[in-house]
Structure formats: C-alpha cells, structure tokens
Amino acid sequence: MEDVIKLPGTQDKTPGRTPGRKRTRAAKRDPQAEAETRRSNAERLAALGAEDGSVRLLEELVFGAEEELLERLVEEEQEEQAGALLVEDGAHVSCDSEDDGGRVQTRGAAWVDDDDDDEQEEKVDMKHRYRRDLIKGEAESLMSNQKLQERMREQFQKAMGGAPPWADSNGKRKKKAADDDDDDDDEDDELMRRTGNFVASSDCLPSGTLRMKKCLHANSSRPSEDRLSTVQFHPSAQVVMTAGLDQSVSLFQVDGKTNPKIQSIHLERFPVHRAQFSLGGDTVIATGLKNKVFYLYDMMEGRVTPVHNVRGLNEARVKEFSVRPVGGELLLTGTNGYLHLLTLKTKEVVLSLKANGDVVGVAFSHDGSKVFANSEDGEVFVWDMRSSRCVSRFTDEGCVKGTSIAASPDGQYLACGSQSGVVNVYSQAACLNTAHPRPLKAVMNLLTSATSLTFNPSSEILAIASRAEDEAVRLLHLPSFTVFSNFPVSKRKIIYRTSCLDFSPRSGFLSLANNKGHAPLFRLLHYKDF
C-alpha cells in the first residue's frame, strides 16, 4: 500500500480512531450593532477633537491631512509677522486653535492632571520648621496646598520687589512704546535662551581672599649667598632683577616655572644696598653701604661704569635714591634732611631740597610733579618739583618715628609707615589741600617697624613688610582697606624677613627679597598679564 501524505486540516476517517475536534464557527455579524459602535466612536472622537485642538491637528497629520496643516501653519506665521502675535527668534510657537475672529489663543498648560484638583484641597501642617515662617496667625496651623502656594508666591514677590517678567503666567511680555525698551526685552529674551555662566568676572580686584599661586623662586637658578636687599621687575620686559650683600646683581627671565638666569655681574668689594632700573629700563643703578660711589650697568652694551664724583654733591655716602617717573632723574637721600636731584647724563646735582629732620623715605607722584618725604620725626613734606617750593607739610597722625612712605600710581593714596608698625593711608588730595589731613585707614596688622611700602600698578593692593620679623608681610585691599586673609601662609615659613618687594608691570607677579638670599615669587591669578 502506498504511503499517503495527509494535508493539514484533513480528518482521519480510519475506523477505530477518534475524530479531530471540529472548528468553531465565527459569530454572525450584526450590521446594526457595528453601525452603532462606529457612530459612538465617531462621537467620542469628535468630542475629543473639540476639547483639544492639538489632538485634532495630530490626527490630521497622522492620517494624511498634511497639506491642510501646512497651509494653516503658513497662515499663522503670516498673521504673526503682521503683528497679531510677537514671537522672538528661536522661541517655541504653539499650534493652538483659532477662534472665529482670527485671534490666536493664549498658550495653555502642556499637561492637565485631574488629580491636581484633589491635591490642591489637601491640608498641610504649617507647624513644620520649613513652613512655620509662612504662618500669619495661630488659626493657620493647617493650610491647603493652593493657599500655601499663594502664600509662597507672595513671599517670593515681596523678596524680589515684585513679580519678575519670567514669572508672568501669560508667558508674554507687554509691548513697549519706545524702541529702546524693545531692545531691552530682546536682550532679556536672548539671555533666557542661552545656557552657561551668566556671572561675568569683574575687572576690579575682590577683597577677602587673594587668588594666587606659589611659583619657583625668581632667583632659583642663582640664589644669593647673603641677604638680598633689592628685587625689582623690569618696566617693559618679562625680567626681574635681584641684588644683595653678596656683591652681585642678577637678571632672570620670569616664566613662573624655571625662571632661567639671563646675566649676573659681580661688583668687587661692593655690597649692594639698593639697585633699581632706570626710567627706560636699559640701565641698572646700584648704590653701596659705605661710600658715595655708585655703579651704572648698561645692559645693552654689558658695560659697568663706576661714578666716583658728582658735581654739587657734598655727601659722605649715597645709599637711598628714587627714580623720577618723568625725566628719569635720580633723587638722592642725603643727611640732615637734604634731598638732591641729579641727572644721569651730566652726573651733576640740579636741585637740592631741605626738610626738618632726617628723611627716611621719599615717593614721587604719578606724574613726577610732586615729591613726598617722610622724616624721622613723623612729619611729611610735599614739594612742587617745578617751583622747588614746599607746598604742604603735615604730621603723620599718631606717628612717633617715621620709617617709610609710598604713593599710589593712580594719584589717589599716600601711605606712611612708622616704627610701631602702624601704616596710615591718606588721600593725596587731602594732603595737598589741608593742613591736618585725617587718614582714611590706620592699618595695624604689623607689630614691628613697617620698613617697606609698595602699591601695585593698578593701585588695588598695598604691600606692607617689615624686615624685623619673619613672615611680617601684609597685603591690603583698596579701596575696602581690608587685609587679604590668605597671605602669608601661617603654617609654614616661606617669606622670612623681607627687605624689599615689588609687583610686575601689570600686577601678574609679586616677588620679595628676604634675608635667606631667595626671592619668593607668587602668581596673582586675578591679573591676566605680566
């Protein structure tokens, strides 16, 4: 008998076998019931479309009514450009339904939850420590969520001085009559469409903490074998100079990392008491401790010239001097209150000034027209360099013995140091116009003599130092007259005894000369340039 392949669904008619289960027949269709169901669904869909226009638009887009939707969007855009609705560039446009008058309806909520109504009526315990400040009376121990939101909104508007524009529930800004006001609104909207840091850094130096970084010593490639007496930055190049009692003057390139040495000269049997760049920065002037000889070092030619005699100078020794910021003359500090102005070209004295008592410090005004001299008796003299007259004199308030003086580059402040460590900061205008000026601030952060005073080029920092004690350095913020709290570091010694300190031309670096032969270097991060 041949094998028979049975097709699926065929029943085996062989006797003795159980027949397969019969397939159930589909229920008969009721056309009337189907019509009723379709009509009911259509009514629900129509109600849903009438309730929310956005659903109807979405339905038309999905089921093929794309051309009609695009035409409607184009019409709405044309109406908006005509002035029916002001929409900013890049803002979101809502496709709400329009009324018969063609007016665009205000944007509704993106999501409405029926449960929110029930939550608004729920009672909240107002005795909680986070909400007790919102209670106005004992009767408000319980408050509904809706009333709590209103109370918080009132408190916010009271703190803000009114409702801010971004909290407007309509999501629109009122039209302005003037074009300037429209520009302001455009700027506000542009601000709200942008992310990132909205707090711009100010150009003014903030008080409190000075952002700074400790760098390698400025003279790390050639430390001094004895106490450093001078450190100064070049007026135009990224170079720093150090000099000291080891009879040498050294120049270093400042990069904050390696600070390589450029050049170093040795002055035989001449411990350097003070060294300074000339006005143009091409010459270094160095004075000693014991005689009136001083040296001129021409950096361009590499020539060192000693100056033994100065015509018109009757002094046994020359130690302290200052360079006039206009003209470049040297103002030498003599004995018995004398000051001598000499030119480097002719090497002769062109002017001599006399103060009562020994002069312990001098400072030029920013334009070089005035010179301030602090005497050992605590009396300050002011001379006009054009007329050679003493135009003002006053006593430093509370000073018994003066030690130093400095004038700010912007012509606003004058600082006078004393042996007690007190530094009085005056207004230069008051010092020139009144006989008894009052200090703007008496800085009392040092306990030993204030021997060094230096303003930074932007007149925002006054550096105060004493060579009588380790770490006796303070940086005063101007115009708040507060000391920066993070300098110097209190837990370890870095600075030691400071004999001189200086800022770079744009305040990017600060360096000090100490008794260990080092010149600690700090990067002031607020200032971007050298």
Side-chain angles (χ1 to χ4, degrees), residues 177-198:
D179 294 340
D180 294 341
D181 296 336
D182 292 339
D183 295 339
D184 294 339
D185 289 343
D186 295 341
E187 293 177 359
D188 294 340
D189 292 338
E190 179 64 24
L191 179 67
M192 298 305 297
R193 289 198 299 267
R194 183 166 53 87
T195 60
N197 185 13
F198 293 97

Side-chain angles (χ1 to χ4, degrees), residues 47-59:
L48 182 60
E51 190 177 66
D52 190 356
S54 62
V55 175
R56 177 169 52 84
L57 294 177
L58 180 61
E59 178 190 3

Side-chain angles (χ1 to χ4, degrees), residues 9-220:
T10 58
Q11 298 180 359
D12 190 359
K13 303 284 179 122
T14 306
R17 293 186 180 182
T18 304
R21 187 174 53 183
K22 295 183 179 180
R23 183 183 301 173
T24 58
R25 294 183 178 180
K28 295 183 178 180
R29 296 182 179 178
D30 188 355
Q32 185 177 0
E34 291 181 357
E36 183 67 23
T37 301
R38 285 195 295 271
R39 185 180 60 80
S40 177
N41 292 338
E43 290 178 356
R44 293 178 181 177
L45 185 60
L48 182 60
E51 190 177 66
D52 190 356
S54 62
V55 175
R56 177 169 52 84
L57 294 177
L58 180 61
E59 178 190 3
E60 293 177 357
L61 179 60
V62 172
F63 289 98
E66 182 177 0
E67 296 181 357
E68 296 179 1
L69 178 62
L70 294 177
E71 291 176 359
R72 185 180 295 108
L73 292 176
V74 172
E75 292 176 359
E76 290 179 359
E77 184 178 2
Q78 292 176 354
E79 291 178 358
E80 291 170 358
Q81 293 178 355
L85 181 64
L86 296 178
V87 181
E88 297 293 337
D89 294 340
H92 297 286
V93 182
S94 62
C95 299
D96 293 332
S97 61
E98 301 178 0
D99 56 9
D100 296 337
R103 179 176 56 85
V104 179
Q105 296 180 358
T106 58
R107 184 184 303 174
W111 177 264
V112 178
D113 194 345
D114 295 336
D115 295 337
D116 291 343
D117 297 334
D118 298 336
E119 293 179 358
Q120 294 293 331
E121 300 300 328
E122 291 183 0
K123 298 297 182 179
V124 179
D125 183 13
M126 298 301 295
K127 294 183 180 180
H128 193 275
R129 60 191 181 97
Y130 290 151
R131 295 185 286 268
R132 64 180 61 170
D133 295 336
L134 300 174
I135 300 177
K136 294 183 178 180
E138 295 294 337
E140 294 183 341
S141 59
L142 294 176
M143 185 181 297
S144 64
N145 274 328
Q146 183 177 2
K147 191 172 181 180
L148 176 60
Q149 292 178 5
E150 294 176 357
R151 184 66 53 81
M152 296 174 66
R153 186 179 294 107
E154 292 176 1
Q155 188 182 36
F156 174 77
Q157 293 180 1
K158 183 179 179 181
M160 295 293 294
W166 54 264
D168 187 4
S169 60
N170 294 329
K172 297 181 180 179
R173 298 186 184 276
K174 297 181 179 180
K175 294 183 179 180
K176 304 292 184 178
D179 294 340
D180 294 341
D181 296 336
D182 292 339
D183 295 339
D184 294 339
D185 289 343
D186 295 341
E187 293 177 359
D188 294 340
D189 292 338
E190 179 64 24
L191 179 67
M192 298 305 297
R193 289 198 299 267
R194 183 166 53 87
T195 60
N197 185 13
F198 293 97
V199 181
S201 59
S202 174
D203 292 337
C204 298
L205 179 67
S207 59
T209 302
L210 181 62
R211 295 192 307 115
M212 61 194 317
K213 175 185 177 182
K214 177 69 175 65
C215 303
L216 195 66
H217 291 335
N219 64 338
S220 60

Side-chain angles (χ1 to χ4, degrees), residues 309-384:
N309 296 311
V310 175
R311 186 183 305 174
L313 181 62
N314 297 319
E315 296 289 345
R317 57 183 181 177
V318 174
K319 293 177 58 178
E320 299 291 342
F321 70 95
S322 297
V323 178
R324 188 180 181 185
V326 177
E329 298 93 343
L330 299 185
L331 186 64
L332 305 179
T333 302
T335 57
N336 300 323
Y338 276 101
L339 298 174
H340 306 284
L341 187 70
L342 63 89
T343 62
L344 292 177
K345 292 182 179 180
T346 61
K347 311 293 190 303
E348 64 179 350
V349 174
V350 296
L351 178 66
S352 293
L353 306 172
K354 177 69 168 65
N356 296 335
D358 292 333
V359 176
V360 294
V362 296
F364 281 100
S365 61
H366 65 287
D367 57 357
S369 62
K370 303 287 190 303
V371 61
F372 304 90
N374 193 5
S375 68
E376 194 174 20
D377 299 333
E379 194 171 11
V380 180
F381 297 84
V382 184
W383 282 282
D384 185 356

